[in-house]
């Protein structure tokens, strides 16, 4: 880093809350201050002080094509030059919706939104409207955006505060949320078959939907136990509960049809965000015809001036076409680069004896945990066994060596079309060096 970033951080502290516009990108996370980025290309970030970094954060997973990919740049600049947004019907929204319907087996209709949070809010409202029920189920550690009803037990806590697994304590993650907003939200431990069976047996006929991530991707990277998601789906069918799969992180990344394809799932509702927009604010809600028709005029309301924003839709369409071209060659590249990084990191871990740590991954997504545990399987494991403060210090060391990962251990790392084998090799060298000098 350098003097220019330091000066900008001092200015930011005076006029921006926590020195930034999201807690995860400012000086509360990046110590002693964040590098201020001037430009980016491929998998490289260039800061105002002349430093460059191999980027494994990639806008929290929103950049599956990488920074400034020519196809996305051309599409976006073309849209801007002819009118950035009309708030009117446009051909591109039809073409992108058709592409999504062709790629995602359970999607028959699409509604575009602006963010993962907004799409999740609409999905929950749709589920309640369709079923006439009010209760929803969410899981400890799963993040579905910052809407009131869903902002429970997402941030790490002392494990002693979480209650018994048979009766978890739903911990509200923010001031300003009234009790009434969360009284219909049932919180369960994830990857726990018994807890899942119990809640359906006791309350199944009250539940509108079960909301789950396909991969637990907001406490690092944690995969579902074999059969867990399928059992969840079966119980939803048995009790006429909607199975809602939130693919904000995994969609258009872990496979062409995300976790739907990777695990062979048939959710009733799927939402997307992040990678669907290839760097632009864009999200989508998808489901079968009769369910999506609930969003029709006068039923379950979901309006928005910026829904299907022309630049976002045009860029998202171009980027998704790029990933799917040549028999999904782009998705294959994401997986190959991500798994190459994981293999190299695990090799370094195995050869050193200074630190206890593991690397967990699903496809192109991965995260590192400093822990004595052989595996982190859920939120409670993370709270009890992961040294997130140590990871934050380590990530800051890595950045000094030219590798950019978020110091927030609850987030995740991912590959892009911009990553090459050379970038992976440089990352692994820096990883090994950081472990040697880091305490």
């Amino acid at each position: 880093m350098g003097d220019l970033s330091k000066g900008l951080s001092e200015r930011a502290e005076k006029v921006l809350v926590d020195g930034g516009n999201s807690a995860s990108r400012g000086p509360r996370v990046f110590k002693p201050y964040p590098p201020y980025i001037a430009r980016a290309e491929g998998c490289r970030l260039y800061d105002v002080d002349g430093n460059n970094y191999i980027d494994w954060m990639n806008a929290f997973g929103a950049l599956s094509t990488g920074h400034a990919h020519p196809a996305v740049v051309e599409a976006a600049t073309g849209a801007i030059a002819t009118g950035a947004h009309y708030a009117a019907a446009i051909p591109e929204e039809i073409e992108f919706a058709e592409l999504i319907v062709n790629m995602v087996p359970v999607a028959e209709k699409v509604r575009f939104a602006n963010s993962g949070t907004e799409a999740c809010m609409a999905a929950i409202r749709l589920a309640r409207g369709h079923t006439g029920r009010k209760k929803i189920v969410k899981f400890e550690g799963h993040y579905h955006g910052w809407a009131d009803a869903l902002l429970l037990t997402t941030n790490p806590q002392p494990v002693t505060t979480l209650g018994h697994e048979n009766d978890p304590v739903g911990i509200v993650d923010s001031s300003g949320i009234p009790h009434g907003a969360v009284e219909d939200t049932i919180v369960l431990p994830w990857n726990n078959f018994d807890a899942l069976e119990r809640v359906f047996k006791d309350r199944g006929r009250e539940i509108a939907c079960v909301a789950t991530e396909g991969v637990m991707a907001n406490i690092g990277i944690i995969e579902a136990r074999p059969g867990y998601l399928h059992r969840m789906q079966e119980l939803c069918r048995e009790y006429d509960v909607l199975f809602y799969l939130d693919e904000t992180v995994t969609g258009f990344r872990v496979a062409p049809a995300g976790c739907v394809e990777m695990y062979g799932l048939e959710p009733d509702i799927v939402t997307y965000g992040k990678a669907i927009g290839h760097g632009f604010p864009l999200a989508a809600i998808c489901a079968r015809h009769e369910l999506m028709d609930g969003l029709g005029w006068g039923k379950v309301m979901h309006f928005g001036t910026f829904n299907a924003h022309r630049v976002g839709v045009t860029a998202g369409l171009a980027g998704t076409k790029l990933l799917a071209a040549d028999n999904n060659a782009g998705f294959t590249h994401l997986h190959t680069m991500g798994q190459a990084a994981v293999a190299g990191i695990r090799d370094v871990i195995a050869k050193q004896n200074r630190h206890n740590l593991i690397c967990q991954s699903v496809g192109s997504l991965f995260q590192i945990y400093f822990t004595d545990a052989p595996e982190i399987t859920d939120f409670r494991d993370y709270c009890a066994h992961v040294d997130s403060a140590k990871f934050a210090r380590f990530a800051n060391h890595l950045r000094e060596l030219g590798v950019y990962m978020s110091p927030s251990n609850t987030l995740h790392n991912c590959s892009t079309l911009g990553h090459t084998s050379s970038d992976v090799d440089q990352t692994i060298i820096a990883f090994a060096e950081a472990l040697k000098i880091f305490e």
Side-chain angles (χ1 to χ4, degrees), residues 281-304:
L282 189 67
I285 308 109
C286 308
R288 60 185 184 274
H289 290 293
E290 64 271 22
L291 190 52
M292 288 298 289
D293 285 346
L295 292 176
W297 188 274
K299 299 176 186 175
V300 176
M301 196 187 96
H302 175 252
F303 296 161

Side-chain angles (χ1 to χ4, degrees), residues 61 92 113 132 139 141 154 163 168 174 207 224 228 257 279 289 294 303 379 412:
E92 294 85 355
F139 296 95
T154 62
S174 171
I207 299 169
Y228 182 70
H289 290 293
F303 296 161
F379 180 71
H412 46 266

Side-chain angles (χ1 to χ4, degrees), residues 2 20 25 27 49 60 85 120 128 134 148 156 261 272 285 337 380 411 422:
R25 64 180 78 158
D49 294 288
F60 308 114
H85 187 54
C120 292
R128 285 171 162 164
K134 304 307 176 191
D148 286 0
E261 175 182 340
Y272 299 101
I285 308 109
M337 291 297 101
R380 292 172 182 242
L411 296 173
S422 176

Side-chain angles (χ1 to χ4, degrees), residues 110-134:
V110 177
R111 168 61 65 86
F112 289 109
N114 299 291
S115 70
T117 292
E118 184 186 315
C120 292
M121 291 170 64
I124 295 298
R125 180 180 290 175
L126 178 60
R128 285 171 162 164
H130 181 82
T131 63
R133 302 172 180 179
K134 304 307 176 191

Side-chain angles (χ1 to χ4, degrees), residues 16 63 65 88 108 113 162 177 184 209 214 245 248 251 299 307 313:
L16 296 172
L63 300 170
T65 50
E108 294 180 345
L162 301 177
I177 296 178
D184 288 319
C209 73
L245 187 66
T248 298
K299 299 176 186 175
N307 286 356
V313 167

Side-chain angles (χ1 to χ4, degrees), residues 42 57-67 69 72 249-254 273-279 316 319-320 322-323 330-331 333-335 364 414-419:
M57 193 180 81
N58 298 298
F60 308 114
L63 300 170
S64 52
T65 50
H67 296 281
H69 191 286
V72 176
V249 174
T250 53
F252 300 96
R253 167 162 290 283
V254 297
K274 296 189 186 295
I276 195 173
H278 300 279
T320 305
L322 184 68
L323 290 172
F331 290 103
H333 181 85
L334 297 183
H335 182 87
S364 61
C414 55
S415 54
T416 71
L417 292 187
H419 285 91

Side-chain angles (χ1 to χ4, degrees), residues 316-363:
L317 175 61
T320 305
K321 281 184 172 180
L322 184 68
L323 290 172
D326 299 325
N327 196 28
N328 297 315
F331 290 103
T332 300
H333 181 85
L334 297 183
H335 182 87
T336 300
M337 291 297 101
Q339 285 300 296
V342 169
I345 288 169
R346 286 176 175 166
D347 186 56
V348 170
I349 291 171
K351 291 177 178 176
Q352 61 85 46
N353 57 12
R354 288 170 55 91
H355 306 278
N356 293 328
L357 69 162
I358 60 176
C359 179
Q360 294 190 179
S361 74
V362 175

